[in-house]
Amino acid sequence: MVLLLFGYALSYKRKLRILKIQSDGAHEAMLAESQKPQIKSKQAHSQEEYEALQSFLRSISSTATLPPYVKGETYSSMRGVFNQCLITCAVLVLAAGAGHPIGFSAVALPQLQNENSSMRIDEEMGSWIASIHSAATPLGSMLSGPIMEAIGRRRTLQVSTFPLVIGWILIGTAVHHALLLLGRIVCGFAVGIMAAPSQVYLGEISEPRLRGILIGTPFVAYSLGVLYVYALGGTLPWRSVSFLCIVLPTLAFIVLCLSPESPTWLARRGRFHEAMAAMARLRGNSDIAQRELHELISAREKEKARGEETVRFFATVSRAPVLKPLLLINAFNMLQILSGSYIVIFYAVDIVKEAGGSLSPHLVANASACTRLGVTVLACILLLKITRRSLVMMSGVGTAVCTLALAFLLYQDAGSGLITPILILGYVAFNTLGFFLLPGLMIGELLPTKVRGLCGGYIFCVFNAVLFGFTKLYPVMKNSIGMSGVFALFGSSASLATVVLFLLLPETKGKSLLQIEQYYQKPNILWVTRKKSSDPQQV
């Protein structure tokens, strides 16, 4: 994975320029040779923090020899790109571990239904085993925001590995359904904790040109984690699979010890020298790090000057620049769930069996996992080549066409031969191409810095609460409206999601996080009627 990421970064060596970031000149004034860097902040949280800022600015301005400065433009070294890729791989190990509980129900339920022991299950208990994971995830997501803001993004990811390991031990040693469900709850809680911090962390350490692929790669690892469990479940008992799922979370904790904290979080906490060290490591050059860190500090000081740092969280969220992306992300998340993205993972074997076709359900389920993995890799590559909006439009239209075609065939009782499994695999491919990656991208890119941690946790909390309800109701829905009705619902939701994204989703490819924030500060609602800027670097 390191070689994959670094290879793509290397091919873009000449293009790796951070796009222009609009500034009011605050940081240029700090770097001027004829002036001593001073920031007058009447609303600093403490005198110690203010003095730390002054000390940091004096130290870097008195020792740095900067080349001629081009406003907002910096050049990225390949060493810095390689460091970003290495740190991303640390998160990928944990993301693969997060995929294990998602895929576990698909391989465990058929075994438990045929097991001649006290652990044998019926359809009702099977629905609980599949869905209880998502019921616990909202609690973890709700807590992840405050934890992330209190101890940092990296440490939150490390903390999440402990309940994940404990959950798998409970599942592997379960002698009763209650212990199995408890293990699934603990694993779901752990996945909830790690979901938002992983996207926020990668969004804050990466450069604009690389941000799309770096935020997207956890979904490759996630899909690989699901495929890993599917492959193990085809040859091993479910207990052995659960114990093997402990390996990656343990490894993730170790490799994250070697990663730096997010410089954005450090700067907002007043730990400027640590932020400078982390930024220098991530950019591979101290001059580049100074300029980017000055942008962060300048934006932070302007927030203080406007009195925004003293505004309470709920008052901040109710403001238009925060509320607009928040509503868009939540609306899409609901439609994505209704389009069946995760239902097909939870009930892969059962869905293929119910839909019919001439191929083995287990074979098609494993093929769907391989398809998901391959398309996720393709999507990450395409994020370097084409715009976000183009990718999600292709994903939405393709998902709608495949699911509505399946609904029509099943309604006509024509679901036989190869056409049904081909359409199912086509649905998985198109859904993964854009819809599967988009929630993480939107959280990492669209939310303003000051609420990214707390809102990210809230978004995943709502997402997983709705996902639990939909997963739990799937067997009832299937028995009520049949598989043709289920796929018709998937197709209708995908069509509506495509329309919503076409109208509201801004194009963020190659834009800095600050530029994206500035887009939502303008009176923009619909993308097609946005207030356009004469500056091509503006969103």
Side-chain angles (χ1 to χ4, degrees):
M1 189 62 72
V2 176
L3 295 176
L4 175 67
L5 293 172
F6 188 62
Y8 289 126
L10 189 61
S11 67
Y12 279 82
K13 181 175 181 180
R14 294 184 179 179
K15 298 181 181 179
L16 285 173
R17 294 185 179 183
I18 300 176
L19 297 180
K20 289 187 178 180
I21 301 175
Q22 297 305 306
S23 170
D24 61 352
H27 70 288
E28 291 94 324
M30 295 178 199
L31 291 175
E33 294 181 359
S34 60
Q35 298 181 12
K36 216 172 184 179
Q38 296 288 329
I39 295 180
K40 296 181 179 180
S41 175
K42 297 180 181 180
Q43 298 177 348
H45 288 304
S46 65
Q47 183 64 25
E48 290 80 7
E49 182 182 321
Y50 179 73
E51 291 176 356
L53 176 58
Q54 296 297 316
S55 172
F56 168 71
L57 293 175
R58 282 194 297 269
S59 67
I60 65 172
S61 63
S62 61
T63 59
T65 303
L66 297 179
Y69 183 71
V70 180
K71 184 177 181 181
E73 187 177 73
T74 54
Y75 294 86
S76 188
S77 73
M78 293 311 299
R79 180 178 135 195
V81 171
F82 186 67
N83 286 339
Q84 291 175 58
C85 293
L86 283 178
I87 295 164
T88 300
C89 288
V91 179
L92 299 188
V93 176
L94 186 57
H100 295 346
I102 303 295
F104 182 73
S105 62
V107 300
L109 295 186
Q111 293 186 29
L112 288 167
Q113 288 167 353
N114 298 323
E115 190 167 284
N116 294 320
S117 70
S118 61
M119 294 298 290
R120 186 183 178 91
I121 63 170
D122 55 17
E123 187 177 80
E124 175 66 17
M125 179 55 65
S127 71
W128 277 108
I129 292 173
S131 62
I132 198 69
H133 168 275
S134 300
T137 307
L139 179 59
S141 299
M142 188 183 300
L143 295 176
S144 69
I147 294 173
M148 193 190 335
E149 291 300 320
I151 67 175
R153 285 62 161 132
R154 179 180 64 88
R155 286 183 181 174
T156 304
L157 292 174
Q158 289 180 296
V159 167
S160 69
T161 62
F162 293 106
L164 190 56
V165 170
I166 293 171
W168 283 119
I169 293 175
L170 287 172
I171 293 172
T173 58
V175 294
H176 191 272
H177 294 146
L179 284 176
L180 180 57
L181 291 173
L182 179 60
R184 292 282 291 168
I185 290 172
V186 175
C187 284
F189 176 76
V191 172
I193 292 179
M194 72 178 69
S198 61
Q199 301 301 319
V200 172
Y201 182 54
L202 293 179
E204 290 180 348
I205 69 168
S206 56
E207 301 176 9
R209 287 269 184 182
L210 293 178
R211 193 172 57 242
I213 187 172
L214 294 188
I215 294 179
T217 47
F219 294 95
V220 178
Y222 180 89
S223 301
L224 189 58
V226 174
L227 177 60
Y228 172 79
V229 171
Y230 281 3
L232 291 178
T235 56
L236 295 176
W238 61 271
R239 291 186 188 275
S240 300
V241 173
S242 64
F243 287 122
L244 288 172
C245 289
I246 296 174
V247 175
L248 289 185
T250 305
L251 180 60
F253 178 85
I254 297 171
V255 295
L256 282 169
C257 291
L258 307 176
S259 303
E261 183 53 82
S262 162
T264 301
W265 180 81
L266 291 170
R268 294 189 70 84
R269 304 290 290 188
R271 295 159 61 175
F272 304 111
H273 289 282
E274 293 177 63
M276 178 63 196
M279 188 70 81
R281 179 177 173 185
L282 291 166
R283 300 298 177 256
N285 183 285
S286 60
D287 293 346
I288 297 172
Q290 286 176 25
R291 290 169 178 168
E292 194 164 340
L293 194 56
H294 268 86
E295 291 287 351
L296 290 175
I297 295 172
S298 176
R300 180 173 177 271
E301 292 302 309
K302 283 186 283 185
E303 282 180 19
K304 286 183 178 181
R306 294 193 298 263
E308 293 182 0
E309 278 213 343
T310 59
V311 178
R312 293 185 177 182
F313 173 72
F314 289 105
T316 302
V317 169
S318 63
R319 294 182 174 183
V322 180
L323 192 60
K324 286 187 287 186
L326 196 60
L327 290 176
L328 171 60
I329 295 171
N330 278 310
F332 173 74
N333 282 349
M334 300 306 103
L335 292 171
Q336 186 210 18
I337 291 172
L338 293 176
S339 73
S341 298
Y342 290 87
I343 293 295
V344 173
I345 298 176
F346 287 138
Y347 293 99
V349 177
D350 291 340
I351 285 177
V352 176
K353 188 184 299 183
E354 292 285 341
S358 59
L359 298 180
S360 163
H362 284 278
L363 176 62
V364 178
N366 289 334
S368 70
C370 292
T371 301
R372 187 176 295 106
L373 174 62
V375 174
T376 308
V377 174
L378 175 63
C380 290
I381 297 172
L382 290 176
L383 285 170
L384 290 171
K385 300 283 188 179
I386 65 176
T387 63
R388 312 281 198 263
R389 286 175 55 84
S390 299
L391 195 65
V392 297
M393 289 300 107
M394 286 191 292
S395 176
V397 172
T399 299
V401 169
C402 290
T403 47
L404 293 176
L406 272 168
F408 178 77
L409 287 176
L410 294 176
Y411 182 75
Q412 299 291 329
D413 292 326
S416 60
L418 292 176
I419 185 65
T420 300
I422 288 175
L423 284 174
I424 290 176
L425 293 178
Y427 158 70
V428 171
F430 279 111
N431 191 273
T432 304
L433 184 64
F435 277 18
F436 199 63
L437 274 66
L438 190 59
L441 278 172
M442 290 197 294
I443 289 174
E445 292 187 334
L446 300 189
L447 292 175
T449 302
K450 59 186 174 183
V451 297
R452 191 174 294 133
L454 291 173
C455 283
Y458 154 75
I459 288 169
F460 275 105
C461 176
V462 174
F463 174 84
N464 285 290
V466 176
L467 179 59
F468 162 70
F470 193 60
T471 305
K472 185 68 180 69
L473 290 174
Y474 167 74
V476 177
M477 182 175 63
K478 178 189 69 176
N479 294 331
S480 300
I481 62 177
M483 287 306 297
S484 62
V486 169
F487 280 110
L489 175 63
F490 291 173
S492 301
S493 301
S495 301
L496 182 57
T498 305
V499 173
V500 169
L501 293 175
F502 176 78
L503 294 175
L504 300 177
L505 182 67
E507 182 52 61
T508 58
K509 185 178 186 299
K511 308 300 181 183
S512 72
L513 296 179
L514 184 59
Q515 288 173 324
I516 298 169
E517 283 190 42
Q518 290 170 347
Y519 167 78
Y520 279 114
Q521 289 169 359
K522 299 174 183 177
N524 296 314
I525 297 179
L526 299 180
W527 172 253
V528 292
T529 60
R530 68 192 181 279
K531 183 179 179 181
K532 298 182 180 180
S533 172
S534 58
D535 188 344
Q537 298 303 326
Q538 289 291 322
V539 179

